[in-house]
Amino acid sequence: MQQSVISLNLLLKAQLGSAYQLMCYFNSWPQYQPDVGDMKLDDIDPCLCTHLIYSFAGIWENNITVAKRKDLDDYKDFNDLKNRNNKLKTLLSIGCWNFGAGSFITMVSTPKSRYSFITSVIKFLRKYGFDGLNLAWQYPGCYGSPPRDRHLFTILIQSRYLDYIQVMTYDLHGSWDGYTGENSPLYKSPIEAGVKAFHNIKYIMDNWKKKGASPKKLIVGFPAYGHTFILSDSTKTGIGAPSNRGGHPGPYTKKTGLWAYYEICTFLKNGAIEVWNAAQQVPYAFRGNEWVGYDNIKSFHIKAQWLKRNNFGGAMVWAIGMDDYTGSFCDQGTFPLTSTLKRTLKVHSASCQGTALPANVTGSRNSSSGVLEPVLQQSSK
Ligand SMILES: *[C@@H]1O[C@H](CO)[C@@H](O)[C@H](O)[C@H]1NC(C)=O
Ligand SMILES: *[C@@H]1O[C@H](CO)[C@@H](O)[C@H](O)[C@H]1NC(C)=O
Ligand SMILES: *[C@@H]1O[C@H](CO)[C@@H](O)[C@H](O)[C@H]1NC(C)=O
């Protein structure tokens, strides 16, 4: 048992060279969204990140398995990106919010089921050419997973053998709060007290450090999206303004309460007022009764400098498909947010033999869609 766990984590070799990691999620799920909402493997720039993480795989009878409705060829093609960047590492992610806790609860429950999972993971990763596993159980010991799972989780992973711990320093405010707030603020809002004063990157990362995690293993989460709100009173537009629901779905991501960065760029081009939230070092924007708290090039740069000053291990981005990967929405080039991290963290790509395929902004990726109005019906107060 012990041996299997060690092997699992040794699949990742030490990263020599670039001082900081830039770990990028490729979310394979938006496959039914229209146009740019569905990023293809060909759209990935293999020279952008130190690690590319394919999300997600599934669990079937305690074994790792291909995600529902996905093709195993996807895994192979994804790992073929390493032919164009010989320093690139690929990880397979298992879990996520929608995945639920059920399969994890069963899998960690006995030595036999844990053994089956671990053995299957090692075989699976080697078979498809992944360099490691990214475990995204949300979350052991809460949201339906019983308290004992906290302990079973530590038996499963034996934390000191982990190469990295990615901290999800986003989704810190959203329409569920009942008032406007930033998705991923670096610092606390002056108006928040009590437990809400913990909802910022600085508090969360310092807390991991204080509890004993090695800073070099801690990876700070960066969102390439924002959380949207419908203002209850369109004359109250600051942080903490009353709101009781999420904003209208974006034209591509089609989810209430969330816009990809490229959808936010369209909002800004169409008359939204952008405000730099100096206290928290992130922007927000509003127009009419629509409000979004998000990140841009400036906030990514500031946060990346902050993580360097604090000796953290690097950055992870959820998800590169929500960055303006075609470059056709924001007029900031391709992958403007992720490229900012690459530059600020000085992630070298000198060893990157290949080049990115040109973004497919012709054909089905209709470049003029970049200036289309997103769904912005004004709703009644
Ligand atoms: C689970 O994985 C183990 C180890 O790879 C294998 O022996 C077993 O047959 C698998 N079980 C199922 C149901 O696929
Ligand atoms: C670009 O889009 C067109 C039209 O959908 C498609 O035929 C072509 O294969 C795409 N090219 C690449 C490199 O993805
Ligand atoms: C691209 O979008 C424009 C504006 O909506 C539309 O008029 C045009 O027909 C589209 N072209 C293609 C090839 O889809």
Side-chain angles (χ1 to χ4, degrees):
M1 192 63 218
Q2 175 98 347
Q3 222 163 1
S4 301
V5 172
I6 294 169
S7 309
L8 170 65
N9 292 289
L10 283 181
L11 285 174
L12 272 178
K13 297 195 180 66
Q15 289 280 314
L16 301 171
S18 101
Y20 298 99
Q21 310 309 322
L22 178 49
M23 306 187 168
C24 301
Y25 278 92
F26 169 69
N27 183 5
S28 69
W29 281 107
Q31 56 187 319
Y32 303 115
Q33 289 167 356
D35 200 10
V36 286
D38 178 14
M39 189 192 203
K40 301 280 192 287
L41 284 172
D42 275 353
D43 298 321
I44 299 177
D45 175 355
C47 303
L48 193 59
C49 309
T50 61
H51 298 69
L52 281 173
I53 308 172
Y54 188 101
S55 40
F56 291 96
I59 298 178
W60 176 250
E61 295 187 344
N62 299 320
N63 284 7
I64 190 167
T65 179
V66 64
K68 260 185 233 153
R69 303 194 302 263
K70 295 305 291 189
D71 198 314
L72 286 169
D73 282 347
D74 251 34
Y75 294 162
K76 191 193 160 296
D77 294 346
F78 184 75
N79 285 306
D80 280 350
L81 289 166
K82 288 190 277 195
N83 298 336
R84 291 156 63 203
N85 176 2
N86 58 16
K87 287 273 164 65
L88 181 65
K89 300 286 177 202
T90 55
L91 310 182
L92 181 58
S93 182
I94 188 161
C96 94
W97 181 254
N98 295 331
F99 183 80
S103 324
F104 280 118
I105 296 171
T106 312
M107 183 271 287
V108 289
S109 63
T110 69
K112 187 165 174 281
S113 52
R114 289 194 300 269
Y115 181 83
S116 177
F117 177 71
I118 291 166
T119 313
S120 75
V121 163
I122 293 167
K123 262 169 61 179
F124 197 92
L125 297 187
R126 292 203 169 130
K127 180 167 177 189
Y128 294 103
F130 286 101
D131 299 293
L133 182 72
N134 173 250
L135 208 52
W137 177 357
Q138 297 178 19
Y139 300 87
C142 52
Y143 296 108
S145 147
R148 69 181 186 128
D149 284 357
R150 290 169 68 115
H151 174 63
L152 291 170
F153 182 65
T154 64
I155 293 176
L156 176 76
I157 61 166
Q158 308 240 351
S159 317
R160 66 200 162 100
Y161 298 120
L162 290 177
D163 296 282
Y164 299 105
I165 300 168
Q166 300 179 337
V167 186
M168 294 169 59
T169 39
Y170 41 72
D171 300 332
L172 299 177
H173 294 92
S175 54
W176 55 85
D177 285 333
Y179 59 88
T180 58
E182 299 281 8
N183 182 21
S184 180
L186 181 50
Y187 302 114
K188 158 181 133 50
S189 152
I191 64 161
E192 287 184 316
V195 72
K196 277 292 176 190
F198 304 159
H199 286 219
N200 59 82
I201 298 174
K202 180 177 162 38
Y203 177 86
I204 295 167
M205 297 309 296
D206 285 351
N207 197 43
W208 275 89
K209 220 156 56 171
K210 203 172 76 192
K211 299 258 162 80
S214 153
K216 277 290 168 212
K217 287 191 178 187
L218 290 172
I219 305 294
V220 182
F222 285 71
Y225 64 92
H227 279 294
T228 59
F229 302 73
I230 299 294
L231 298 171
S232 307
D233 174 348
S234 56
T235 65
K236 297 202 170 86
T237 57
I239 296 289
S243 161
N244 54 16
R245 60 198 174 96
H248 302 297
Y252 303 101
T253 53
K254 295 194 178 296
K255 276 198 183 62
T256 297
L258 184 149
W259 282 339
Y261 179 59
Y262 59 83
E263 290 170 327
I264 295 167
C265 284
T266 308
F267 185 55
L268 295 173
K269 279 183 183 173
N270 287 314
I273 295 169
E274 184 176 46
V275 178
W276 178 251
N277 175 354
Q280 301 190 277
Q281 298 286 291
V282 275
Y284 64 85
F286 60 94
R287 193 186 76 180
N289 64 357
E290 297 222 88
W291 198 99
V292 60
Y294 61 104
D295 275 89
N296 60 12
I297 288 179
K298 181 176 176 183
S299 67
F300 263 42
H301 176 66
I302 289 170
K303 292 176 186 181
Q305 284 180 315
W306 176 88
L307 86 79
K308 285 166 73 176
R309 284 199 304 276
N310 288 277
N311 298 311
F312 289 115
M316 64 100 161
V317 184
W318 179 269
I320 50 171
M322 290 196 284
D323 198 348
D324 184 19
Y325 65 90
T326 63
S328 56
F329 289 80
C330 306
D331 305 326
Q332 298 167 333
T334 56
F335 298 97
L337 295 180
T338 316
S339 300
T340 298
L341 296 177
K342 179 179 174 171
R343 260 193 317 277
T344 309
L345 299 178
K346 298 191 168 50
V347 171
H348 299 296
S349 56
S351 66
C352 192
Q353 302 303 314
T355 49
L357 295 174
N360 197 352
V361 291
T362 55
S364 65
R365 299 281 149 78
N366 188 340
S367 60
S368 63
S369 61
V371 292
L372 285 184
E373 180 83 351
V375 187
L376 288 173
Q377 315 95 319
Q378 298 294 311
S379 54
S380 56
K381 283 178 206 162

